[in-house]
Amino acid sequence: MATTDEIQQAVESFFLLFNGVIVFLMSCGYTLIESGGVRSQNAGHSLFKTLLIFITSALAYWVTGYAFAFGGTPNVILGTRFWVSEKFGSRVDNQAGYPGVENFTNSNNVYNLNNQDPYIHFFYHYMLTFLVTNIAASAFAERCQVIVYVLFSILMSGFIYPFLAHWMWGSNGWLGDVVGARDYGGSAIIYLTAGVAALIGTIFLGPRFGRFEPRALPLFGHSIPITSVGAILVAFGFFVLNSGADHRITGVAYGDRVGHGLINTVLSGAASGATYYILQRLIESVKQPARHLKRRVFLSTVNSIIAGMVAVAGGAVAYNPWSAIVIGFIAALSFLLWSKLLLKFHVDDPVETAAVHIGGGLWGIFAVPIFRRTIGAGVNGGYEENALSIIYRITMGESWRGLLNSLCTAAVVMAWTAIFITILFLVLKLVRLLKVSRDEELRGIDLFQHGEPAYALRIYCAACGEQLQGKTIEHETIGTRPNFPAIVTDAEGAIVPIEYFSDRNGSSGNINGTKIKSMNEENRV
């Protein structure tokens, strides 16, 4: 007959295991959003990027990352045990083999990680590491060399993110334990970190050819259905990640917080998506831009929904539903502001990764001390008055201190991430390992760097400017500047020099009504 503690261990361990699996699917969803949001000749590169990050981040997190974040005998800066899982899970030395996790974020230290298995704890937090790294790398799409993804993944998974996780969620971590900051679901630690890394990398990579020069030209993604499936998986991940921020479900108070997390995530995402869509349509009705210069409303609306879920993540389990609506509304404004700002400074982020996660994450960490409920969960699973907030305790000075804690958290996350990502990309740029050549970028990274396109060559050729199935191809000459070739653009926004579409015998492609032949004319399926 199983005891109560054994039943609780089984329930809590399965809860964390299930959450970790869903977070993995969430990472896959981000990959699909990226793959559908880029041009078809580069879709395979985005998929391969995720595979590389999965491999390298797993090894880096196993070697150093988990030890830094949750290693045994920790101090305020880092953990000091479990390198390459040495003595991991040992049940000697007074339970010293269990990871160091503080009670106020995701553990009940009466039961040692809520009685969860330490290996499941490792699995779950590796999935968060994989998520952070994969989100950030999506901003580098269509122009980044493979080696960049490998080195970026090792640095993020083995060093940058684990330190931030320890400072907020690890035992004795200085942000959570000393300063008193709170980030239950990772608005700052997960998403703001990813957004800042994405922004720094995108700045160093520079824009894709044809995006801003000689004139601004949107480069549309090739597949709304793929983006839609990705958005569904990401939303599914947010439901689990935000509602499971306590890592516990047993006890009436923890069950209540799981329910609040689910409802608040739905409401914040919906409010943010609706607000953005209405605002964008109003802006377009006033400015009336040309059809080919309109924003990608579908992808941007998806991103606004994600921004709302990012913003509410910091305290989804601790908000009342009406608060989630307000948070989602402001998240949409924040996302729209960051998106416009980055475009103004010619920062080319193919799927708006930086705008989504900086806009949502930065606002989300400040929303926690403003809107969180004062009633929380105690170590025995019951309710207790254990928090202060500005909305519910506006006259108490301690409530306002939370804003300073959030400011400290945001500043630390942004500075820590920016410093090391800047160093990495600066070195890669100096040794010329950062960006693919313009020739490869224009012709498609899939075929000319990986040797295998994501789609059949017939479809691939269509994305590279060939007349196929009635698709209209525009010919455009870039002024009289000698360093800009004549180009063709298709409805997807793919841009390629027209000389690449000569036939096999060397005759020039004819753009005056005759078919432009592809280099792969003989190989079409």
Side-chain angles (χ1 to χ4, degrees):
M1 180 69 68
T3 65
T4 302
D5 286 355
E6 289 171 342
I7 293 174
Q8 185 189 33
Q9 180 184 20
V11 171
E12 303 292 12
S13 294
F14 179 78
F15 181 62
L16 197 61
L17 173 63
F18 176 79
N19 288 0
V21 172
I22 300 304
V23 172
F24 178 76
L25 294 179
M26 181 181 180
S27 297
C28 296
Y30 271 106
T31 298
L32 292 177
I33 290 176
E34 176 192 350
S35 181
V38 301
R39 292 164 291 177
S40 58
Q41 66 263 37
N42 299 316
H45 185 64
S46 296
L47 299 172
F48 187 69
K49 172 267 301 181
T50 300
L51 182 64
L52 278 178
I53 290 176
F54 176 74
I55 295 169
T56 53
S57 63
L59 296 174
Y61 195 68
W62 175 67
V63 173
T64 63
Y66 190 80
F68 284 142
F70 302 107
T73 60
N75 53 50
V76 295
I77 303 298
L78 75 164
T80 58
R81 295 183 62 183
F82 309 148
W83 315 102
V84 294
S85 64
E86 177 264 340
K87 291 187 177 180
F88 186 62
S90 171
R91 301 190 178 232
V92 298
D93 299 333
N94 195 25
Q95 306 294 335
Y98 281 84
V101 182
E102 277 294 349
N103 179 60
F104 56 73
T105 52
N106 53 17
S107 171
N108 173 3
N109 52 22
V110 173
Y111 289 110
N112 291 318
L113 294 174
N114 305 333
N115 232 0
Q116 295 155 352
D117 184 87
Y119 288 96
I120 294 177
H121 187 264
F122 175 96
F123 170 78
Y124 176 80
H125 281 280
Y126 162 64
M127 287 303 159
L128 294 184
T129 305
F130 174 47
L131 176 67
V132 173
T133 309
N134 196 38
I135 290 173
S138 65
F140 313 153
E142 299 202 89
R143 60 207 189 278
C144 186
Q145 291 201 43
V146 170
I147 187 64
V148 177
Y149 293 126
V150 173
L151 298 178
F152 176 79
S153 176
I154 292 172
L155 182 63
M156 282 289 291
S157 304
F159 186 79
I160 294 176
Y161 172 75
F163 272 85
L164 294 172
H166 176 76
W167 295 344
M168 178 61 72
W169 299 323
S171 180
N172 301 324
W174 71 272
L175 270 177
D177 199 25
V178 179
V179 175
R182 298 290 182 269
D183 185 10
Y184 297 98
S187 284
I189 301 302
I190 296 175
Y191 305 110
L192 183 57
T193 300
V196 171
L199 177 61
I200 299 298
T202 302
I203 291 173
F204 273 95
L205 282 166
R208 294 164 291 174
F209 176 73
R211 179 64 181 92
F212 296 114
E213 190 174 349
R215 61 181 174 83
L217 180 67
L219 303 180
F220 295 101
H222 77 283
S223 177
I224 287 180
I226 291 177
T227 302
S228 301
V229 174
I232 292 170
L233 290 177
V234 169
F236 188 31
F238 271 109
F239 297 152
V240 171
L241 188 56
N242 288 1
S243 64
D246 289 317
H247 295 192
R248 183 177 178 182
I249 195 171
T250 57
V252 61
Y254 285 102
D256 173 79
R257 285 163 70 87
V258 169
H260 273 79
L262 286 169
I263 295 301
N264 290 335
T265 301
V266 172
L267 292 177
S268 183
S272 181
T275 301
Y276 175 85
Y277 183 81
I278 293 171
L279 286 176
Q280 186 58 39
R281 288 304 189 190
L282 289 175
I283 292 172
E284 289 183 354
S285 66
V286 173
K287 291 188 175 182
Q288 296 184 340
R291 180 182 62 84
H292 67 284
L293 294 178
K294 289 184 177 181
R295 289 178 62 85
R296 301 173 294 179
V297 175
F298 180 82
L299 179 60
S300 294
T301 303
V302 166
N303 283 336
S304 182
I305 294 171
I306 294 175
M309 293 181 174
V310 166
V312 82
V317 296
Y319 297 141
N320 282 315
W322 70 267
S323 301
I325 297 289
V326 177
I327 291 169
F329 173 77
I330 298 176
L333 301 180
S334 179
F335 163 63
L336 184 61
L337 176 63
W338 275 95
S339 181
K340 300 288 187 184
L341 184 65
L342 295 183
L343 284 177
K344 182 177 180 62
F345 287 98
H346 286 188
V347 176
D348 181 19
D349 187 348
V351 288
E352 301 180 300
T353 303
V356 170
H357 296 92
I358 295 178
L362 196 58
W363 157 235
I365 192 62
F366 286 99
V368 176
I370 298 175
F371 293 104
R372 67 180 173 185
R373 298 180 295 168
T374 59
I375 296 177
V379 294
N380 63 352
Y383 294 101
E384 64 180 45
E385 194 92 5
N386 60 4
L388 297 172
S389 67
I390 293 174
I391 290 294
Y392 298 106
R393 297 289 188 272
I394 192 170
T395 59
M396 299 184 65
E398 194 69 18
S399 298
W400 292 88
R401 181 185 172 186
L403 287 178
L404 295 178
N405 295 342
S406 295
L407 178 62
C408 177
T409 301
V412 168
V413 167
M414 296 176 75
W416 177 262
T417 306
I419 288 171
F420 291 102
I421 296 300
T422 298
I423 293 173
L424 172 65
F425 276 82
L426 182 60
V427 171
L428 289 171
K429 188 170 185 177
L430 291 175
V431 298
R432 298 183 179 180
L433 291 176
L434 189 59
K435 194 174 182 180
V436 300
S437 67
R438 176 166 293 182
D439 191 52
E440 290 177 320
E441 181 183 344
L442 294 175
R443 299 167 77 179
I445 300 176
D446 286 3
L447 191 59
F448 298 98
Q449 191 168 97
H450 298 288
E452 48 184 350
Y455 300 99
L457 292 180
R458 180 178 178 86
I459 301 173
Y460 174 82
C461 295
C464 289
E466 178 179 309
Q467 285 181 333
L468 186 65
Q469 298 177 349
K471 179 177 289 187
T472 300
I473 296 180
E474 304 170 0
H475 172 249
E476 183 176 298
T477 302
I478 311 297
T480 59
R481 298 177 61 179
N483 57 329
F484 281 96
I487 64 174
V488 290
T489 63
D490 71 355
E492 296 170 348
I495 299 180
V496 287
I498 197 169
E499 59 265 25
Y500 288 145
F501 300 101
S502 301
D503 63 21
R504 289 283 191 175
N505 298 321
S507 60
S508 298
N510 189 338
I511 61 170
N512 297 316
T514 61
K515 191 173 182 179
I516 299 174
K517 289 188 176 182
S518 165
M519 293 181 298
N520 300 301
E521 182 77 20
E522 299 173 1
N523 300 319
R524 279 187 289 160
V525 294

